[in-house]
Amino acid sequence: MDEQSLAIIFYELFTLYFRGFDSLPPPKLHYSDFSDWLLRTPDSHNWLRNHQLEFWAESLKDVQTLHLTLVTPSSELLSPISHIETVIDPRTLERYHALLREAGVTPFSGFFAVYNVLLFKYSLQASFVVGTPAMQPNLPELANVVGFFTNILPVKTNIDADQTFSQYLTAFKADLMKSLENGDVTYEEILSQGEDRSPYGYFAHVFKFGGMNLDDVEEVVMDAAEELTSDDIQVQSITALPNLGHQYEVHLTVLNETGHIALQFDNHLLSEESARLLLNGYTTLIRNLGLDPHIKICDASATTNQYDCLGIQMSYVGEGAEAKIYLK
């Protein structure tokens, strides 16, 4: 099941436990209803599938795999951890949200766009693909249905270093919308139409907007917290969950309402220090672009120092410093 379905199960489990078996209405739809609908309408879905695969074939032709300068493949672990987090300070977060509202761009598009700029800064590749999860299909009737509706889409972006960030933001919004409009085919179907690619497929980097929303679950638990004692909750066992971040080089998750940022990385490819450069670079870009959205992308700094404004991009790799000269 997908993450949204897992959140639904948690919510319903705690609601039934704390508020009784009559506290939830019976579900109007089940996943089997969705499956039956697909089986009953094969012709329309085949036409839609073929039409959307044509879009992806055109969009993804001549795509080059993104190569980050921070990646140093190793048979040994470069870091004992593969997950780091940070939080955008409230003032910076509100300023960036205000920018997005003024530009008429959704937070999904806006935070995704900054991730693309970050990847550009550490690769200097003008065209690349980033994967992002999307609901398939995005129907309100399925909002509370438990099942697997998540698809991952290969979103292509083109970055002109001489564009201002606000110009790129508008252009990327349009590209992202086109991708989402053609998101009824699975990623596996998209891959099957193309040539043989790297083990990652079209992308090795993922952007995920939002996470499991447990606010409703927390509300249910807090309502009953005064009635709980230590005897009510006992840990029977702890099972480690697989780290899905290892499927990709970098997997960034943004919770835009709270400003929490999580970065999962393959620690056979990136050291913790390199991963923190990326994570800190993302929050720094959020700050700098929020302050001046009309700055050219080539001048936008992903570091705390303004080296990028001088045409020099500094990054620290391993035990030595790497200076990358950017000529405009």
Side-chain angles (χ1 to χ4, degrees):
M1 71 181 68
D2 55 35
E3 191 174 76
Q4 177 174 306
S5 296
L6 189 59
I8 293 172
I9 286 181
F10 275 130
Y11 170 73
E12 294 187 349
L13 174 65
F14 282 106
T15 300
L16 293 172
Y17 183 80
F18 290 124
R19 296 178 177 171
F21 290 106
D22 296 329
S23 57
L24 289 175
K28 297 179 179 180
L29 291 174
H30 297 83
Y31 190 74
S32 57
D33 298 313
F34 172 67
S35 300
D36 290 342
W37 173 66
L38 291 178
L39 292 174
R40 291 196 306 270
T41 56
D43 292 338
S44 60
H45 282 91
N46 285 336
W47 178 89
L48 183 65
R49 174 183 176 275
N50 294 333
H51 176 75
Q52 294 190 359
L53 285 176
E54 289 178 4
F55 164 83
W56 291 112
E58 178 65 24
S59 174
L60 299 174
K61 67 180 181 181
D62 302 325
V63 164
Q64 300 297 316
T65 303
L66 182 67
H67 297 286
L68 296 182
T69 58
L70 297 176
V71 169
T72 55
S74 172
S75 58
E76 303 293 331
L77 286 178
L78 300 175
S79 167
I81 62 174
S82 59
H83 181 104
I84 55 178
E85 298 183 7
T86 191
V87 180
I88 302 172
D89 73 85
R91 184 177 179 182
T92 297
L93 185 64
E94 175 52 36
R95 184 189 298 119
Y96 192 68
H97 275 139
L99 161 66
L100 298 181
R101 290 192 294 269
E102 183 179 348
V105 174
T106 65
F108 178 30
S109 299
F111 284 90
F112 196 165
V114 176
Y115 186 49
N116 291 338
V117 172
L118 176 71
L119 296 177
F120 167 76
K121 289 284 181 179
Y122 280 101
S123 68
L124 291 185
Q125 289 181 229
S127 180
F128 52 86
V129 172
V130 174
T132 191
M135 293 299 291
Q136 181 203 29
N138 188 15
L139 298 176
E141 295 84 356
L142 300 176
N144 295 315
V145 175
V146 173
F148 190 82
F149 299 100
T150 300
N151 187 25
I152 191 159
L153 297 179
V155 180
K156 181 181 177 182
T157 191
N158 296 289
I159 296 181
D160 180 350
D162 288 325
Q163 276 183 314
T164 66
F165 177 68
S166 60
Q167 289 172 331
Y168 171 67
L169 195 57
T170 300
F172 178 68
K173 172 188 173 182
D175 291 340
L176 180 59
M177 289 300 298
K178 290 179 183 176
S179 295
L180 295 175
E181 289 168 1
N182 289 274
D184 292 302
V185 293
T186 66
Y187 181 53
E188 289 74 17
E189 289 177 307
I190 295 172
L191 275 178
S192 68
Q193 302 297 305
E195 58 188 27
D196 292 337
R197 306 193 63 82
S198 70
Y200 293 112
Y202 284 105
F203 56 86
H205 308 85
V206 174
F207 175 81
K208 181 181 177 185
F209 183 72
M212 187 188 300
N213 185 353
L214 295 181
D215 290 344
D216 292 337
V217 177
E218 182 181 8
E219 179 184 346
V220 174
V221 174
M222 292 304 294
D223 285 348
E226 296 180 357
E227 303 174 13
L228 293 175
T229 68
S230 59
D231 295 330
D232 293 318
I233 302 177
Q234 297 179 355
V235 178
Q236 300 295 326
S237 64
I238 298 176
T239 303
L241 295 175
N243 185 349
L244 299 180
H246 284 297
Q247 295 181 15
Y248 306 103
E249 284 186 7
V250 179
H251 185 149
L252 188 80
T253 301
V254 175
L255 303 179
N256 96 99
E257 293 183 358
T258 63
H260 283 80
I261 314 291
L263 187 143
Q264 289 177 279
F265 60 98
D266 188 332
N267 52 4
H268 283 279
L269 299 175
L270 289 162
S271 66
E272 180 182 349
E273 191 167 23
S274 295
R276 291 197 182 279
L277 271 176
L278 289 173
L279 187 61
N280 293 337
Y282 184 79
T283 57
T284 300
L285 280 171
I286 292 288
R287 183 194 64 205
N288 292 341
L289 295 172
L291 287 169
D292 184 8
H294 302 296
I295 191 173
K296 287 185 177 181
I297 289 176
C298 63
D299 293 331
S301 177
T303 64
T304 53
N305 298 317
Q306 295 301 316
Y307 291 113
D308 287 346
C309 294
L310 301 176
I312 302 176
Q313 183 179 22
M314 297 294 293
S315 60
Y316 184 78
V317 182
E319 297 181 355
E322 176 194 25
K324 182 182 295 181
I325 307 299
Y326 185 83
L327 300 178
K328 291 191 276 185

Coordinates of all heavy atoms in Angstrom, one line a residue, residues 223-301:
D223 N -6.7 13.0 22.6 CA -8.0 13.0 23.3 C -8.0 11.9 24.3 O -8.7 12.1 25.4 CB -9.1 12.8 22.3 CG -9.3 14.1 21.4 OD1 -8.8 15.1 21.8 OD2 -10.0 14.0 20.4
A224 N -7.4 10.8 24.1 CA -7.5 9.7 25.0 C -6.2 9.6 25.9 O -6.2 8.7 26.7 CB -7.6 8.4 24.2
A225 N -5.3 10.5 25.8 CA -4.0 10.4 26.5 C -4.2 10.4 28.0 O -3.5 9.7 28.7 CB -3.1 11.5 26.1
E226 N -5.2 11.1 28.5 CA -5.4 11.2 29.9 C -5.9 9.9 30.5 O -5.7 9.7 31.7 CB -6.4 12.4 30.3 CG -5.8 13.7 29.9 CD -6.9 14.8 30.2 OE1 -8.0 14.5 30.7 OE2 -6.5 16.0 30.0
E227 N -6.4 9.1 29.7 CA -7.0 7.8 30.1 C -5.9 6.7 30.1 O -6.2 5.6 30.6 CB -8.2 7.4 29.3 CG -9.3 8.5 29.3 CD -10.4 8.1 28.4 OE1 -10.4 6.9 27.9 OE2 -11.2 9.0 28.1
L228 N -4.8 7.0 29.4 CA -3.8 5.9 29.2 C -2.8 5.8 30.4 O -2.5 6.8 31.1 CB -3.0 6.2 28.0 CG -3.7 6.1 26.6 CD1 -2.8 6.5 25.5 CD2 -4.2 4.6 26.4
T229 N -2.3 4.6 30.7 CA -1.3 4.4 31.7 C -0.2 3.7 31.0 O -0.3 3.2 29.8 CB -1.8 3.6 32.9 OG1 -2.1 2.3 32.4 CG2 -3.0 4.2 33.5
S230 N 0.9 3.5 31.6 CA 2.1 2.8 31.0 C 1.7 1.3 30.7 O 2.3 0.7 29.9 CB 3.3 2.8 32.0 OG 3.0 2.3 33.2
D231 N 0.7 0.8 31.4 CA 0.3 -0.6 31.2 C -0.5 -0.7 29.9 O -0.7 -1.8 29.4 CB -0.5 -1.1 32.3 CG 0.3 -1.2 33.6 OD1 1.5 -1.4 33.5 OD2 -0.3 -1.1 34.7
D232 N -1.0 0.4 29.4 CA -1.9 0.3 28.2 C -1.0 0.2 26.9 O -1.5 -0.3 25.9 CB -2.7 1.6 28.0 CG -3.7 1.7 29.1 OD1 -4.4 0.7 29.4 OD2 -3.9 2.8 29.7
I233 N 0.2 0.6 26.9 CA 1.1 0.6 25.8 C 2.3 -0.2 26.1 O 3.1 0.2 27.0 CB 1.5 2.0 25.3 CG1 0.2 2.7 24.9 CG2 2.4 1.9 24.1 CD1 0.5 4.2 24.5
Q234 N 2.6 -1.3 25.5 CA 3.7 -2.2 25.8 C 4.4 -2.5 24.4 O 3.7 -2.9 23.5 CB 3.4 -3.4 26.5 CG 2.8 -3.2 27.9 CD 2.4 -4.5 28.6 OE1 2.5 -5.5 28.0 NE2 2.0 -4.4 29.9
V235 N 5.7 -2.4 24.4 CA 6.4 -2.7 23.1 C 6.7 -4.2 23.1 O 7.3 -4.7 24.0 CB 7.8 -1.9 23.1 CG1 8.6 -2.3 21.8 CG2 7.5 -0.4 23.1
Q236 N 6.1 -4.8 22.1 CA 6.3 -6.3 22.0 C 7.6 -6.6 21.2 O 8.3 -7.5 21.5 CB 5.1 -6.9 21.2 CG 3.8 -6.7 22.0 CD 3.7 -7.4 23.3 OE1 4.3 -8.5 23.4 NE2 3.1 -6.8 24.3
S237 N 7.8 -5.9 20.1 CA 9.0 -6.1 19.3 C 9.3 -4.9 18.5 O 8.4 -4.1 18.2 CB 8.9 -7.4 18.5 OG 7.9 -7.2 17.5
I238 N 10.5 -4.7 18.0 CA 10.9 -3.7 17.1 C 11.5 -4.3 15.8 O 12.4 -5.0 15.9 CB 11.9 -2.7 17.7 CG1 11.3 -2.1 19.0 CG2 12.3 -1.6 16.7 CD1 12.2 -1.2 19.8
T239 N 10.9 -3.9 14.7 CA 11.3 -4.4 13.4 C 11.8 -3.3 12.6 O 11.1 -2.3 12.3 CB 10.2 -5.2 12.6 OG1 9.6 -6.2 13.5 CG2 10.7 -5.7 11.3
A240 N 13.1 -3.4 12.1 CA 13.7 -2.4 11.3 C 13.0 -2.4 9.9 O 12.9 -3.5 9.3 CB 15.2 -2.6 11.2
L241 N 12.6 -1.2 9.4 CA 12.0 -1.1 8.1 C 13.1 -1.0 7.0 O 14.2 -0.4 7.3 CB 11.1 0.0 8.0 CG 9.8 -0.1 8.9 CD1 9.0 1.2 8.8 CD2 9.0 -1.3 8.5
P242 N 13.0 -1.4 5.8 CA 14.0 -1.3 4.8 C 14.2 0.2 4.4 O 13.2 1.0 4.4 CB 13.4 -2.0 3.6 CG 11.9 -2.1 3.8 CD 11.8 -2.1 5.3
N243 N 15.4 0.6 4.2 CA 15.7 2.0 3.8 C 15.6 2.1 2.3 O 16.5 1.8 1.5 CB 17.1 2.3 4.2 CG 17.5 3.8 4.0 OD1 16.7 4.5 3.3 ND2 18.6 4.2 4.5
L244 N 14.4 2.6 1.9 CA 14.1 2.7 0.4 C 15.0 3.8 -0.2 O 15.0 3.9 -1.4 CB 12.6 3.0 0.2 CG 11.7 1.9 0.7 CD1 10.3 2.3 0.5 CD2 12.0 0.6 0.1
G245 N 15.6 4.6 0.6 CA 16.5 5.7 0.0 C 17.6 5.1 -0.8 O 18.2 5.8 -1.7
H246 N 18.0 3.9 -0.5 CA 19.1 3.3 -1.2 C 18.8 2.9 -2.7 O 19.7 2.5 -3.4 CB 19.6 2.0 -0.5 CG 20.4 2.3 0.7 ND1 21.6 3.0 0.7 CD2 20.2 2.1 2.1 CE1 22.1 3.1 1.9 NE2 21.3 2.6 2.8
Q247 N 17.5 3.0 -3.0 CA 17.2 2.7 -4.4 C 17.7 3.9 -5.3 O 17.8 3.7 -6.5 CB 15.6 2.6 -4.5 CG 15.0 1.4 -3.8 CD 13.5 1.4 -4.0 OE1 13.0 2.0 -4.9 NE2 12.9 0.6 -3.2
Y248 N 17.9 5.0 -4.7 CA 18.3 6.2 -5.5 C 19.6 6.8 -4.8 O 19.9 6.6 -3.7 CB 17.2 7.2 -5.5 CG 15.9 6.6 -6.1 CD1 14.9 6.3 -5.2 CD2 15.7 6.4 -7.4 CE1 13.7 5.7 -5.7 CE2 14.6 5.8 -7.9 CZ 13.5 5.5 -7.0 OH 12.4 4.9 -7.5
E249 N 20.2 7.7 -5.6 CA 21.4 8.4 -5.0 C 20.9 9.4 -3.9 O 21.4 9.4 -2.8 CB 22.1 9.2 -6.1 CG 22.9 8.4 -7.1 CD 23.7 9.3 -8.0 OE1 23.7 10.5 -7.9 OE2 24.3 8.7 -9.0
V250 N 19.9 10.2 -4.3 CA 19.4 11.2 -3.3 C 17.9 11.2 -3.4 O 17.3 11.2 -4.5 CB 19.9 12.6 -3.6 CG1 19.4 13.6 -2.6 CG2 21.5 12.6 -3.6
H251 N 17.2 11.2 -2.2 CA 15.8 11.3 -2.1 C 15.4 12.4 -1.1 O 15.7 12.2 0.1 CB 15.3 9.9 -1.6 CG 13.8 9.8 -1.6 ND1 13.1 8.6 -1.8 CD2 12.8 10.7 -1.4 CE1 11.8 8.8 -1.7 NE2 11.6 10.0 -1.4
L252 N 14.9 13.5 -1.6 CA 14.6 14.7 -0.7 C 13.1 14.7 -0.4 O 12.3 14.7 -1.4 CB 15.0 16.0 -1.4 CG 14.9 17.2 -0.5 CD1 16.1 17.2 0.5 CD2 14.9 18.5 -1.3
T253 N 12.7 14.8 0.8 CA 11.3 15.0 1.2 C 11.1 16.3 1.9 O 11.9 16.7 2.8 CB 10.9 13.9 2.2 OG1 11.0 12.6 1.5 CG2 9.4 14.0 2.6
V254 N 10.1 17.1 1.5 CA 9.8 18.4 2.0 C 8.4 18.4 2.6 O 7.4 18.0 2.0 CB 9.9 19.5 0.9 CG1 9.5 20.8 1.5 CG2 11.3 19.6 0.4
L255 N 8.3 18.8 3.9 CA 7.0 19.0 4.5 C 6.8 20.5 4.6 O 7.4 21.2 5.5 CB 7.0 18.4 6.0 CG 7.3 16.9 6.1 CD1 7.2 16.5 7.5 CD2 6.3 16.1 5.3
N256 N 6.1 21.1 3.6 CA 6.1 22.5 3.4 C 5.5 23.3 4.5 O 5.8 24.4 4.7 CB 5.5 22.8 2.0 CG 4.1 23.2 2.1 OD1 3.7 24.3 2.0 ND2 3.2 22.2 2.1
E257 N 4.5 22.7 5.2 CA 3.8 23.4 6.2 C 4.7 23.7 7.5 O 4.6 24.7 8.1 CB 2.5 22.7 6.6 CG 1.5 22.7 5.5 CD 0.2 22.0 5.9 OE1 0.1 21.5 7.1 OE2 -0.8 21.9 5.1
T258 N 5.5 22.7 7.8 CA 6.3 22.8 9.0 C 7.8 23.2 8.7 O 8.5 23.6 9.5 CB 6.4 21.5 9.7 OG1 7.0 20.5 8.9 CG2 5.0 21.0 10.1
G259 N 8.2 23.0 7.4 CA 9.6 23.3 7.0 C 10.5 22.2 7.3 O 11.7 22.4 7.1
H260 N 10.1 21.0 7.6 CA 10.9 19.9 7.9 C 11.4 19.4 6.5 O 10.6 19.2 5.6 CB 10.2 18.8 8.6 CG 10.1 19.1 10.1 ND1 9.1 19.9 10.6 CD2 10.8 18.7 11.2 CE1 9.2 20.0 11.9 NE2 10.3 19.3 12.3
I261 N 12.7 19.1 6.4 CA 13.4 18.6 5.2 C 14.1 17.3 5.6 O 14.9 17.3 6.5 CB 14.4 19.6 4.6 CG1 13.7 21.0 4.5 CG2 14.8 19.1 3.2 CD1 12.6 21.1 3.5
A262 N 13.9 16.2 4.9 CA 14.6 15.0 5.1 C 15.3 14.6 3.8 O 14.7 14.6 2.7 CB 13.6 13.9 5.6
L263 N 16.5 14.1 4.0 CA 17.3 13.7 2.8 C 17.8 12.3 3.1 O 18.6 12.0 4.0 CB 18.5 14.7 2.6 CG 19.3 14.4 1.3 CD1 19.7 15.7 0.6 CD2 20.5 13.6 1.5
Q264 N 17.4 11.4 2.2 CA 18.0 10.0 2.2 C 19.0 9.9 1.1 O 18.8 10.4 0.0 CB 16.9 9.0 2.1 CG 15.9 8.8 3.3 CD 14.8 7.9 3.0 OE1 13.8 8.2 2.4 NE2 15.0 6.6 3.4
F265 N 20.1 9.2 1.4 CA 21.1 9.1 0.4 C 21.8 7.7 0.4 O 21.8 7.0 1.4 CB 22.2 10.2 0.6 CG 22.9 10.1 1.9 CD1 24.1 9.5 2.0 CD2 22.3 10.7 3.0 CE1 24.8 9.5 3.2 CE2 22.9 10.7 4.3 CZ 24.2 10.1 4.4
D266 N 22.3 7.3 -0.7 CA 23.0 6.1 -0.9 C 24.4 6.3 -0.3 O 25.2 7.0 -0.8 CB 23.1 5.7 -2.3 CG 23.7 4.3 -2.5 OD1 24.5 3.8 -1.6 OD2 23.4 3.6 -3.5
N267 N 24.7 5.7 0.9 CA 26.0 5.9 1.5 C 27.1 5.1 1.0 O 28.2 5.0 1.6 CB 25.8 5.7 3.1 CG 25.2 4.4 3.4 OD1 24.9 3.5 2.6 ND2 25.0 4.2 4.7
H268 N 26.9 4.4 -0.2 CA 28.0 3.9 -0.9 C 28.4 4.9 -2.0 O 29.4 4.7 -2.7 CB 27.6 2.6 -1.6 CG 27.6 1.4 -0.7 ND1 28.7 0.7 -0.3 CD2 26.6 0.8 0.0 CE1 28.4 -0.2 0.5 NE2 27.1 -0.2 0.8
L269 N 27.7 6.0 -2.2 CA 28.0 7.0 -3.2 C 28.3 8.3 -2.6 O 29.0 9.1 -3.2 CB 26.8 7.1 -4.1 CG 26.4 5.9 -4.9 CD1 25.1 6.1 -5.7 CD2 27.5 5.4 -5.8
L270 N 27.7 8.6 -1.4 CA 27.9 9.9 -0.8 C 28.3 9.8 0.6 O 27.8 8.9 1.4 CB 26.6 10.7 -0.9 CG 26.1 11.3 -2.2 CD1 24.6 11.6 -2.2 CD2 26.9 12.5 -2.6
S271 N 29.2 10.6 1.1 CA 29.5 10.7 2.5 C 28.5 11.5 3.2 O 27.7 12.3 2.6 CB 30.9 11.3 2.7 OG 30.9 12.7 2.3
E272 N 28.5 11.4 4.5 CA 27.6 12.3 5.3 C 27.9 13.7 5.1 O 27.0 14.6 5.0 CB 27.7 12.0 6.8 CG 26.8 12.8 7.7 CD 27.0 12.5 9.1 OE1 27.6 11.5 9.5 OE2 26.4 13.3 9.9
E273 N 29.2 14.1 4.9 CA 29.5 15.5 4.7 C 29.0 16.0 3.4 O 28.5 17.1 3.3 CB 31.1 15.6 4.8 CG 31.6 17.0 4.8 CD 33.0 17.1 5.1 OE1 33.7 16.1 4.9 OE2 33.5 18.2 5.6
S274 N 29.1 15.2 2.4 CA 28.6 15.6 1.0 C 27.0 15.7 1.1 O 26.5 16.6 0.5 CB 29.0 14.5 0.0 OG 30.4 14.5 -0.2
A275 N 26.4 14.7 1.8 CA 24.9 14.8 1.9 C 24.5 16.1 2.6 O 23.5 16.7 2.3 CB 24.4 13.6 2.6
R276 N 25.3 16.5 3.7 CA 24.9 17.7 4.4 C 25.1 18.9 3.5 O 24.5 19.9 3.7 CB 25.7 17.8 5.7 CG 25.2 16.7 6.7 CD 25.7 17.0 8.1 NE 25.3 15.9 9.0 CZ 24.0 15.8 9.5 NH1 23.1 16.7 9.2 NH2 23.7 14.8 10.3
L277 N 26.1 18.9 2.6 CA 26.3 20.0 1.7 C 25.0 20.1 0.9 O 24.6 21.3 0.6 CB 27.5 19.7 0.8 CG 28.8 20.2 1.2 CD1 29.9 19.7 0.2 CD2 28.9 21.7 1.4
L278 N 24.4 19.0 0.4 CA 23.2 19.1 -0.4 C 22.1 19.6 0.4 O 21.3 20.5 0.0 CB 22.9 17.7 -1.0 CG 23.8 17.2 -2.1 CD1 23.4 15.8 -2.4 CD2 23.7 18.1 -3.3
L279 N 21.9 19.1 1.6 CA 20.8 19.5 2.5 C 20.9 21.0 2.9 O 19.9 21.7 2.8 CB 20.7 18.6 3.7 CG 19.5 18.8 4.7 CD1 18.2 18.5 3.9 CD2 19.7 17.9 5.9
N280 N 22.1 21.4 3.3 CA 22.3 22.8 3.7 C 22.1 23.7 2.4 O 21.7 24.8 2.5 CB 23.6 23.0 4.3 CG 23.7 22.3 5.7 OD1 22.7 22.0 6.3 ND2 24.9 22.0 6.1
G281 N 22.6 23.2 1.3 CA 22.5 23.9 0.0 C 21.0 24.2 -0.3 O 20.7 25.3 -0.8
Y282 N 20.2 23.2 -0.1 CA 18.7 23.3 -0.4 C 18.1 24.4 0.5 O 17.4 25.3 0.0 CB 18.0 22.0 -0.2 CG 16.5 22.1 -0.5 CD1 16.2 22.0 -1.9 CD2 15.6 22.2 0.4 CE1 14.8 22.1 -2.2 CE2 14.2 22.3 0.1 CZ 13.9 22.2 -1.3 OH 12.5 22.3 -1.6
T283 N 18.4 24.4 1.8 CA 17.8 25.4 2.7 C 18.4 26.8 2.4 O 17.6 27.8 2.5 CB 18.0 25.0 4.2 OG1 19.4 24.9 4.4 CG2 17.3 23.7 4.5
T284 N 19.6 26.8 2.0 CA 20.2 28.1 1.7 C 19.6 28.7 0.4 O 19.4 29.9 0.3 CB 21.8 28.0 1.5 OG1 22.4 27.5 2.7 CG2 22.4 29.3 1.1
L285 N 19.3 27.9 -0.6 CA 18.7 28.4 -1.8 C 17.2 28.8 -1.5 O 16.8 29.9 -2.0 CB 18.6 27.3 -2.8 CG 19.9 27.0 -3.6 CD1 19.8 25.8 -4.5 CD2 20.2 28.2 -4.5
I286 N 16.5 28.1 -0.6 CA 15.2 28.6 -0.2 C 15.3 30.0 0.4 O 14.5 30.9 0.0 CB 14.6 27.6 0.8 CG1 14.3 26.3 0.2 CG2 13.3 28.2 1.5 CD1 13.1 26.3 -0.7
R287 N 16.3 30.2 1.2 CA 16.5 31.6 1.8 C 16.9 32.6 0.8 O 16.2 33.7 0.7 CB 17.6 31.5 2.9 CG 17.8 32.8 3.6 CD 19.1 32.7 4.4 NE 20.2 32.6 3.5 CZ 21.4 32.1 3.8 NH1 21.6 31.6 5.0 NH2 22.4 32.1 3.0
N288 N 17.9 32.3 0.0 CA 18.4 33.3 -1.0 C 17.4 33.6 -2.1 O 17.2 34.8 -2.5 CB 19.7 32.8 -1.6 CG 20.8 32.8 -0.5 OD1 20.7 33.5 0.5 ND2 21.9 32.1 -0.8
L289 N 16.7 32.6 -2.6 CA 15.7 32.8 -3.7 C 14.5 33.5 -3.1 O 13.8 34.2 -3.9 CB 15.4 31.5 -4.4 CG 16.6 30.8 -5.1 CD1 16.2 29.4 -5.6 CD2 17.1 31.7 -6.3
G290 N 14.2 33.2 -1.9 CA 13.0 33.9 -1.3 C 13.3 35.4 -1.1 O 12.4 36.2 -1.2
L291 N 14.6 35.7 -0.8 CA 14.9 37.1 -0.7 C 15.0 37.8 -2.0 O 14.6 39.0 -2.1 CB 16.3 37.2 0.0 CG 16.3 36.9 1.5 CD1 17.8 36.8 2.0 CD2 15.6 38.0 2.3
D292 N 15.4 37.1 -3.1 CA 15.6 37.8 -4.4 C 15.2 36.8 -5.5 O 16.1 36.1 -6.1 CB 17.0 38.3 -4.6 CG 17.2 39.0 -5.9 OD1 16.2 39.3 -6.6 OD2 18.3 39.4 -6.2
P293 N 14.0 36.6 -5.8 CA 13.6 35.7 -6.9 C 14.0 36.1 -8.3 O 13.9 35.3 -9.2 CB 12.0 35.6 -6.7 CG 11.7 37.0 -6.2 CD 12.8 37.3 -5.2
H294 N 14.4 37.4 -8.4 CA 14.8 37.9 -9.7 C 16.3 37.7 -10.0 O 16.8 38.2 -11.0 CB 14.3 39.3 -9.9 CG 12.9 39.5 -9.7 ND1 11.9 39.0 -10.5 CD2 12.2 40.2 -8.7 CE1 10.7 39.3 -10.1 NE2 10.8 40.0 -9.0
I295 N 17.0 37.1 -9.1 CA 18.4 36.8 -9.3 C 18.6 35.7 -10.4 O 17.7 34.8 -10.5 CB 19.1 36.4 -8.0 CG1 20.6 36.3 -8.2 CG2 18.5 35.0 -7.6 CD1 21.3 36.1 -6.8
K296 N 19.6 35.9 -11.2 CA 19.9 34.8 -12.2 C 20.3 33.5 -11.5 O 20.9 33.6 -10.4 CB 21.0 35.3 -13.1 CG 20.6 36.3 -14.1 CD 21.7 36.6 -15.1 CE 21.3 37.7 -16.2 NZ 22.4 37.9 -17.1
I297 N 19.9 32.4 -12.1 CA 20.2 31.1 -11.5 C 21.7 30.9 -11.3 O 22.2 30.4 -10.3 CB 19.6 30.0 -12.3 CG1 18.1 30.0 -12.1 CG2 20.2 28.6 -11.9 CD1 17.3 29.0 -12.9
C298 N 22.5 31.4 -12.3 CA 24.0 31.3 -12.2 C 24.5 32.1 -11.0 O 25.6 31.8 -10.5 CB 24.6 31.7 -13.5 SG 24.4 33.4 -13.9
D299 N 23.8 33.1 -10.5 CA 24.3 33.9 -9.4 C 23.7 33.5 -8.1 O 24.1 34.0 -7.0 CB 24.0 35.4 -9.7 CG 24.7 35.9 -10.9 OD1 25.8 35.4 -11.1 OD2 24.2 36.8 -11.5
A300 N 22.7 32.6 -8.1 CA 22.1 32.2 -6.8 C 23.0 31.3 -6.0 O 23.5 30.3 -6.6 CB 20.7 31.5 -7.1
S301 N 23.3 31.6 -4.8 CA 24.2 30.9 -4.0 C 23.5 29.7 -3.3 O 22.5 29.8 -2.7 CB 24.9 31.8 -3.0 OG 25.7 31.0 -2.1

